[in-house]
Amino acid sequence: MKPVFSVVVPAYNEQEVLEQSYERLNAVLAGMGEPFELIFVDDGSKDATADILRRLASAHDNVRTLHFSRNFGHQVAVSAGVDVAQGDAIVIIDCDLQDPPELIPAMAEKWREGYEVVYGKRSQRDGETAMKKFTAWAYYRVLRALSGVPIPPDTGDFRLIDRRVADVLRGMKEHRRFLRGLFAWMGFKQTEVAFHRSRRFAGETKYTLKKMLRLASDGIFSFSDKPVSFILGTGAALAALGALWLLILLFVALAGHGNGLSALAALMVLLCGVIVLSLGVLGAYIARTYDETLGRPLYIVSERHGFPEEGEQFDK
Ligand code: UDP
Ligand code: MG
C-alpha cells in the first residue's frame, strides 16, 4: 500500500540505539492509523548498524534501508532518504531519539491544517554543553544577519515536509547542503511545534567538531555573498587609510622626525592577516564552485533492502 507517511532516519554508527528507535517510531506511526514506511539510511557505518538494519528490513514490511558505500555525512543521508520516500508527508528525524517520535502526530496535525513544512523548535535542550548552546545561538544570529534567509533559531533538521517540498528538494543538486537553510529559502507555508530536546538515548554524538564546522561554513557560504562584499569594503578602507598614513608620514619626515619602524611592522602584520583572511574567504567560494562543477553523484548506495521490486508500484 502506498504510504501516507515516510519517516527518514539517518544513522551513522548507531548500533546502541537502532532497535529502540525502530520500536518507538513504529509505535507512534502505527498509532496514527495510516500506512507508513520507515526509511533508514546507513551513512557508511563501521559498527553493527548495517546488520541490524538488514534484520529490521527483512522482519518488517514497511522498513526500507539504504546503505552508503562510505560516510557521506548527515545532510546527504537525509537527502538520500527523501529521494526514495513515497509518502505524502515526510518526516526527518535523528536516530538517537533526541527528537521525540511522539511529536510526529502533532506535526501531522499541522500538515493536515495545510502547512507544508512543520519544524520542531527546541524549547529546552538537555545534555548539551553551555559552549554548544552558545555557539549555536550566536551562529544563527550571524547567519541570519548575513544571509537574509529567515532560518528559524533553535531548530534542527527534525521536521515534517509535504510531498511538494520534498520534490523541490530532490531537484536541488548542490553538494554542500545545509538543509535547514534550503527549506527556509524555499518558502511554502511553514510553522513550528515546540519540543523538549532530551539527551541522547545512548552512544556518543556522531557530529565531530570537524563536521560541525563544515556544516556551519556550508550554511554561511551557500546562503550569503556578504563575506566577499565585506572583504571588498575592508580592502578599500585599508587602502585609503594606508594612503593617508603615508601622506602624514611624508610630512613628519619632512619635518625631520622620521621614526615609525615598529608602527610599520605592526601595520604589516595586520595587513598580511587581512590579506590572507580575504584569500581564505575567496578560496572557500572557489572550492565550492569547483566541487559543484565536478558533477559527481551526491552519494553512492551500495545496498538497499525492503524496497518494492524494480518497476513494481505500490497499489494505490
Ligand atoms: N549522522 C549521520 N552521518 C554522520 C553523522 C551523523 O547520518 O556523519 C546521523 C546520526 O546517526 C544521527 C543524526 O545524524 O541520527 C544526528 O547526529 P548526532 O546525534 O550525532 O548529532 P547531535 O545531536 O549531537 O548534533
Ligand atoms: Mg543527537
Side-chain angles (χ1 to χ4, degrees):
M1 220 179 346
K2 188 185 168 308
V4 173
F5 294 105
S6 299
V7 182
V8 171
V9 195
Y12 178 52
N13 295 341
E14 298 283 13
Q15 59 182 17
E16 296 95 345
V17 301
L18 270 174
E19 312 262 7
Q20 185 75 18
S21 326
Y22 167 76
E23 292 300 335
R24 274 192 43 200
L25 281 168
N26 189 57
V28 168
L29 270 293
M32 291 167 69
E34 302 270 14
F36 65 95
E37 59 177 358
L38 302 178
I39 303 169
F40 290 90
V41 184
D42 167 17
D43 186 9
S45 301
K46 294 176 190 68
D47 65 356
T49 295
D51 295 331
I52 299 173
L53 289 182
R54 280 186 210 108
R55 201 161 354 109
L56 285 172
S58 65
H60 309 283
D61 256 5
N62 53 1
V63 173
R64 329 208 185 289
T65 67
L66 288 179
H67 302 260
F68 282 176
S69 60
R70 64 165 170 87
N71 181 240
F72 278 89
H74 171 239
Q75 304 282 299
V76 174
V78 169
S79 307
V82 172
D83 283 349
V84 298
Q86 304 263 350
D88 300 327
I90 296 153
V91 176
I92 298 166
I93 188 167
D94 281 358
C95 160
D96 59 359
L97 298 171
Q98 280 194 287
D99 304 331
E102 292 71 23
L103 199 71
I104 297 174
M107 289 179 158
E109 205 168 299
K110 292 278 183 198
W111 173 63
R112 300 256 186 234
E113 284 170 24
Y115 289 100
E116 290 150 312
V117 177
V118 186
Y119 49 84
K121 187 175 168 72
R122 303 158 177 177
S123 55
Q124 203 184 326
R125 306 170 75 159
D126 290 348
E128 277 172 8
T129 59
M131 187 64 185
K132 180 157 179 180
K133 285 184 206 169
F134 172 74
T135 46
W137 178 87
Y139 175 72
Y140 280 104
R141 264 91 198 150
V142 169
L143 184 59
R144 209 181 174 126
L146 284 178
S147 68
V149 176
I151 298 173
D154 304 317
T155 62
D157 292 311
F158 181 29
R159 62 189 62 215
L160 178 151
I161 58 175
D162 184 73
R163 173 87 258 154
R164 287 171 62 197
V165 178
D167 287 341
V168 175
L169 182 72
R170 290 176 60 181
M172 293 180 162
K173 295 296 176 211
E174 59 199 87
H175 278 214
R176 303 283 200 96
R177 32 188 67 212
F178 183 63
L179 291 172
R180 36 204 113 144
L182 291 177
F183 288 128
W185 177 87
M186 277 183 221
F188 288 106
K189 267 186 83 182
Q190 310 213 359
T191 191
E192 63 184 44
V193 179
F195 74 104
H196 176 158
R197 186 160 160 100
S198 44
R199 57 188 70 240
R200 230 175 197 283
F201 173 72
E204 299 275 294
T205 177
K206 305 299 178 302
Y207 253 98
T208 53
L209 183 63
K210 195 170 149 199
K211 284 184 172 165
M212 267 322 243
L213 287 175
R214 186 184 155 107
L215 183 68
S217 66
D218 283 349
I220 290 184
F221 293 123
S222 356
F223 286 96
S224 174
D225 49 16
K226 288 219 176 75
V228 170
S229 327
F230 178 74
I231 287 178
L232 210 72
T234 314
L238 280 174
L241 192 76
L244 192 71
W245 195 321
L246 272 179
L247 207 66
I248 294 172
L249 281 180
L250 190 69
F251 281 116
V252 172
L254 284 178
H257 306 282
N259 180 19
L261 212 56
S262 50
L264 263 179
L267 198 68
M268 281 263 293
V269 173
L270 176 78
L271 286 181
C272 284
V274 172
I275 291 168
V276 173
L277 184 81
S278 309
L279 286 176
V281 172
L282 291 178
Y285 285 100
I286 294 170
R288 299 176 62 82
T289 312
Y290 177 64
D291 226 26
E292 303 297 342
T293 55
L294 290 175
R296 289 182 188 153
L298 184 57
Y299 52 84
I300 302 167
V301 174
S302 63
E303 252 181 73
R304 39 194 282 155
H305 300 283
F307 286 90
E309 289 303 311
E310 198 84 22
E312 182 188 320
Q313 283 295 317
F314 289 109
D315 22 309
K316 301 259 168 175

